[in-house]
């Protein structure tokens, strides 16, 4: 007998096969037992008739409970709807009978309850679909960078200094060496690596002690940082645009059925193509004022501003050249206007807002030193970073994406907490 997976039933039509998984649901009508079965690769139905089973097997089915683990056998055939496949059941073994009171039922549960039950909720179809989309986004990213000749570099998580401002740092005592901080972004380390490898990226968990409860902030999330030597602001945007187009294309290629479970309007994703919309921060402010925002010329865009702006276009928007005062110390200032920096945030359409932050980096030693001082950062902790401007400095640029922000957009879901297997928020650390 062939031991296989739900996703491969179609290749085994006419054969008796074995599947290992869980009893997702079932119903019985006297002499027929319908088992909804899932194995991680998909869901299928196994139709058992009493006449085809031993008494022992039929009794086992009668004792079955939702979410029990089971090994089933049956003959594969097209289902009645003609859209999928099902099994004519020939056997069943209960591996572990689930307790009677599986907490997640058919009725509506509130989000707090579901997140308390996250360890079980992950089995639900929507949560399963979201994580499968996440998997595609991750693989598309690795594939894109590998094809473009980037080297994957792992940046550290325990760091002696801040990357993105000191207000959102998780700190801890580090033996007798003072404080250590959880990384907010691997960027500064990638800037060291580009001087050895040319083009690099990292991918890992980063941490922000975000005090706000929003639909787009986690305290632990996964960031991909990319960094390119001999690359200016224009070159930076080109890589970002290509990467996002690649991710969308791969999700559309591999996750149609998952997007269907999520009731995602895929026509919105099908419209994501280069070139993306581009506007300066000043142009964005002017547009937002027309839309009734009270944003000032030197203000950062608020979440509401990003929502308003991105509802105007069907493609992502690069908002470029933010005021220097609202952005990080390492961004290179516009040579024509030092009150603004050579950066861009990429905002996803349909109100999703910022998914990427990036910039050309300050590559001049004296200017960078001065910027570190202006930001009241401890110069001694940045000496290694300053060294990069002393020994063979080059124009270089890079960006970082928030994986969960992209998954949220791809899946079309409201709250970022469903995009990561075990979310960490200001008010949630378990399970
Ligand atoms: O814009 P950010 O803060 O940029 C950086 O950290 C740069 N050092 C990246 C770089 O140039 N290499 O963060 C990058 C992205 C944001 O655009 C957003 O998508 C995501 O990380 N992000 C968050 N995602 C979830 N929860 C949070 N609290 C996030 N903060 C940022
Ligand atoms: Mg940002």
């Amino acid at each position: 007998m062939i031991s296989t997976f739900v996703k491969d039933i179609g290749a085994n039509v006419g054969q008796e096969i074995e599947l290992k998984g869980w009893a997702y649901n079932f119903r019985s009508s006297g002499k027929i037992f319908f088992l909804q079965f899932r194995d991680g690769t998909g869901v299928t139905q196994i139709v058992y008739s009493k006449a085809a089973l031993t008494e022992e097997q039929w009794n086992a089915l009668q004792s079955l409970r939702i979410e029990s683990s089971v090994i089933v056998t049956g003959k594969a055939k097209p289902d009645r709807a003609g859209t999928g496949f099902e099994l004519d059941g020939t056997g069943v073994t209960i591996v572990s009978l689930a307790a009677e009171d599986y907490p997640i039922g058919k009725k509506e549960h509130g989000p707090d309850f579901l997140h308390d039950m996250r360890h079980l909720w992950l089995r639900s179809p929507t949560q399963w679909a979201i994580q499968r989309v996440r998997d595609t986004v991750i693989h598309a990213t690795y594939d894109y960078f590998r094809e473009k000749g980037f080297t994957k570099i792992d940046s550290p998580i325990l760091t002696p200094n801040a990357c993105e401002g000191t207000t959102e740092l998780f700190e801890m005592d580090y033996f007798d060496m003072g404080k250590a901080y959880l990384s907010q972004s691997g960027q500064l380390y990638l800037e060291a690596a580009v001087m050895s490898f040319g083009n690099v990226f990292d991918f890992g968990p980063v941490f922000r002690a975000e005090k706000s409860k929003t639909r787009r902030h986690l305290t632990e999330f996964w960031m991909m940082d990319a960094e390119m030597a001999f690359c200016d602001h224009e070159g930076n945007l080109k890589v970002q645009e290509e990467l996002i187009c690649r991710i969308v294309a791969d999700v559309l290629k591999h996750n149609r059925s998952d997007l269907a479970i999520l009731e995602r309007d895929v026509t919105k994703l099908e419209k994501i193509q280069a070139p993306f919309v581009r506007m300066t921060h000043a142009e964005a402010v002017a547009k937002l004022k027309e839309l009734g925002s009270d944003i000032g010329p030197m203000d950062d865009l608020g979440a509401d501003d990003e929502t308003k702006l991105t509802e105007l276009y069907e493609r992502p928007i690069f908002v470029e050249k933010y005021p220097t005062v609202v952005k990080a110390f390492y961004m290179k200032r516009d040579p024509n206007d030092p009150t603004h920096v050579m950066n861009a945030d990429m905002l996803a359409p349909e109100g999703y807002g910022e998914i990427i932050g990036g910039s050309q980096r300050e590559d001049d030693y004296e200017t960078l030193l001065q910027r570190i001082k202006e930001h009241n950062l401890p110069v001694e902790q940045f000496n290694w970073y300053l060294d990069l401007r002393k020994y063979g400095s080059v124009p270089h640029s890079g960006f970082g994406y928030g994986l969960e922000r992209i998954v949220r957009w791809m899946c079309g879901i409201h709250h970022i907490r469903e995009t990561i297997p075990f979310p960490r928020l200001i008010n949630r650390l378990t399970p």
Side-chain angles (χ1 to χ4, degrees):
M1 184 154 15
I2 307 153
S3 189
T4 184
F5 299 97
V6 171
K7 71 176 169 59
D8 298 326
I9 297 177
N12 291 290
V13 168
Q15 310 271 359
E16 193 180 1
I17 60 171
E18 177 188 75
L19 302 169
K20 297 173 180 169
W22 293 265
Y24 170 57
N25 206 352
F26 53 79
R27 68 193 157 85
S28 185
S29 63
K31 294 190 162 50
I32 310 272
F33 189 96
F34 299 93
L35 172 61
Q36 303 299 318
F37 170 94
R38 58 173 190 85
D39 73 348
T41 72
V43 179
T44 193
Q45 173 168 265
I46 298 137
V47 184
Y48 291 102
S49 75
K50 190 173 180 182
L53 296 184
T54 64
E55 198 179 329
E56 197 187 348
Q57 284 180 326
W58 183 255
N59 290 341
L61 283 179
Q62 303 310 306
S63 74
L64 196 61
R65 293 176 190 145
I66 282 176
E67 289 302 323
S68 297
S69 45
V70 289
I71 299 174
V72 299
T73 58
K75 203 168 161 200
K77 63 171 198 196
D79 64 13
R80 265 194 215 158
T83 50
F85 304 94
E86 63 179 29
L87 262 56
D88 265 340
T90 55
V92 58
T93 309
I94 299 179
V95 179
S96 172
L97 187 64
E100 233 164 327
D101 51 351
Y102 189 68
I104 301 177
K106 292 279 158 295
K107 67 172 197 293
E108 287 279 315
H109 297 291
D112 279 334
F113 175 80
L114 289 171
H115 280 283
D116 286 343
M117 291 294 145
R118 185 62 170 165
H119 50 295
L120 300 177
W121 190 32
L122 268 185
R123 304 178 186 196
S124 298
T126 52
Q127 300 308 309
W128 177 75
I130 294 167
Q131 294 309 316
R132 282 159 53 94
V133 171
R134 180 180 169 112
D135 176 68
T136 298
V137 175
I138 294 168
H139 283 281
T141 302
Y142 276 85
D143 289 348
Y144 171 80
F145 282 121
R146 179 135 241 222
E147 284 159 24
K148 294 285 168 178
F150 283 59
T151 302
K152 167 80 172 17
I153 290 287
D154 299 317
S155 41
I157 287 176
L158 292 174
T159 60
N161 51 255
C163 178
E164 292 298 319
T166 49
T167 53
E168 293 168 356
L169 275 177
F170 280 109
E171 68 169 44
M172 64 171 92
D173 294 321
Y174 196 76
F175 304 107
D176 58 355
M177 293 170 62
K179 297 285 181 206
Y181 307 96
L182 294 182
S183 177
Q184 299 169 306
S185 158
Q187 177 199 324
L188 305 187
Y189 294 96
L190 290 194
E191 288 186 60
V194 281
M195 307 303 172
S196 175
F197 301 91
N199 291 331
V200 301
F201 72 107
D202 70 12
F203 207 146
V206 294
F207 305 87
R208 307 244 172 134
E210 300 274 2
K211 300 268 165 16
S212 51
K213 278 200 214 170
T214 78
R215 294 185 279 114
R216 20 184 251 163
H217 287 98
L218 294 160
T219 54
E220 174 180 312
F221 62 99
W222 282 65
M223 192 184 292
M224 186 290 304
D225 299 279
E227 198 71 26
M228 293 84 73
F230 297 102
C231 177
D232 62 7
H233 176 63
E234 284 301 316
N236 196 12
L237 300 199
K238 183 151 186 293
V239 176
Q240 295 173 41
E241 195 174 76
E242 271 184 18
L243 172 64
I244 295 302
C245 287
R246 170 61 178 273
I247 289 171
V248 175
D250 280 15
V251 167
L252 286 171
K253 189 163 141 195
H254 299 298
N255 297 94
R256 293 264 173 186
S257 60
D258 300 303
L259 297 172
I261 291 173
L262 296 167
E263 296 176 13
R264 177 65 165 124
D265 178 356
V266 289
T267 62
K268 299 267 198 264
L269 297 178
E270 282 161 351
K271 288 179 182 142
I272 307 305
Q273 269 154 22
F276 293 175
V277 181
R278 280 176 73 160
M279 66 179 74
T280 62
H281 177 271
E283 288 163 348
V285 167
K287 226 174 255 298
L288 284 166
K289 285 196 139 154
E290 280 170 30
L291 296 171
S293 170
D294 58 1
I295 187 171
M298 292 310 217
D299 292 343
D300 204 353
L301 267 58
D304 290 348
D305 295 324
E306 289 185 4
T307 304
K308 282 198 194 100
L309 210 55
T310 59
E311 280 169 350
L312 298 177
Y313 305 92
E314 292 182 324
R315 295 180 184 194
I317 311 171
F318 284 115
V319 180
E320 305 170 79
K321 300 191 179 170
Y322 278 61
T324 308
V325 288
V326 300
K327 286 293 180 186
F329 72 96
Y330 52 72
M331 292 189 182
K332 190 175 181 64
R333 287 180 289 183
D334 184 348
N336 303 316
D337 172 11
T339 64
H340 289 77
V341 283
M342 302 289 283
N343 84 310
D345 280 357
M346 188 196 291
L347 313 182
E350 300 174 74
Y352 285 100
E354 181 186 344
I355 51 171
I356 291 184
S359 66
Q360 187 165 345
R361 319 305 191 186
E362 182 50 69
D363 49 13
D364 177 68
Y365 181 91
E366 290 302 334
T367 315
L368 184 60
L369 178 61
Q370 199 196 321
R371 302 274 287 132
I372 288 171
K373 287 179 179 163
E374 279 166 20
H375 279 252
N376 291 321
L377 295 166
V379 176
E380 65 283 6
Q381 292 294 1
F382 286 89
N383 278 331
W384 70 268
Y385 186 65
L386 284 157
D387 267 356
L388 306 173
R389 279 67 180 170
K390 256 164 72 178
Y391 304 106
S393 188
V394 299
H396 63 288
S397 303
F399 63 95
Y401 82 39
L403 174 61
E404 292 76 15
R405 296 265 183 104
I406 294 180
V407 174
R408 176 170 167 250
W409 168 40
M410 291 297 102
C411 294
I413 52 184
H414 184 67
H415 201 298
I416 196 166
R417 64 193 162 191
E418 287 182 42
T419 62
I420 186 163
F422 294 95
R424 270 66 182 113
L425 303 156
I426 185 170
N427 58 352
R428 178 166 295 280
L429 190 59
T430 50

